[in-house]
Amino acid sequence: MEKITLTLTNPQGMHARPASLLTKLVKDFKSEIYFYKNDIDNKKYQPKSILSVMSVGAAQGDKLTFVAEGSDEKEAIGAITTFIQSGCGE
């Protein structure tokens, strides 16, 4: 299992465009991936579902914790880390 907590730096938060890009980024990973916001780990979101990502309502400054478990978990977390730290494609 790989896990990382990242701070969302995108000024507009996780709106439709970055949500779509995140979903496209993770859809081909074989690992099970989920994330939660601001250490509230009883409400988990699925990054492979755009509706789930959009329902997060993540804003700039929110902490997103991503967890991946499977054969390509390190690659998945690495790709997600790069995506979030680079401003979610914006």
Side-chain angles (χ1 to χ4, degrees):
M1 179 176 79
E2 292 288 316
K3 178 178 175 181
I4 190 162
T5 300
L6 303 162
T7 301
L8 189 61
T9 59
N10 182 15
Q12 291 80 29
M14 189 63 72
H15 61 89
R17 183 172 183 275
S20 173
L21 292 173
L22 177 61
T23 300
K24 287 177 185 175
L25 175 71
V26 300
K27 72 179 174 97
D28 292 328
F29 286 107
K30 295 178 181 118
S31 295
E32 287 293 321
I33 306 169
Y34 67 87
F35 70 104
Y36 52 91
K37 180 175 84 169
N38 295 332
D39 299 320
I40 304 171
D41 63 356
N42 64 342
K43 183 145 185 167
K44 297 175 181 166
Y45 301 92
Q46 303 300 319
K48 294 182 181 182
S49 164
I50 191 164
L51 293 176
S52 183
V53 176
M54 292 291 298
S55 72
V56 175
Q60 184 180 29
D62 283 341
K63 294 188 185 304
L64 303 178
T65 300
F66 289 87
V67 180
E69 190 167 354
S71 61
D72 54 2
E73 60 192 28
K74 289 183 189 290
E75 294 86 356
I77 292 297
I80 292 167
T81 299
T82 299
F83 176 75
I84 298 295
Q85 289 179 340
S86 68
C88 302
E90 300 210 325

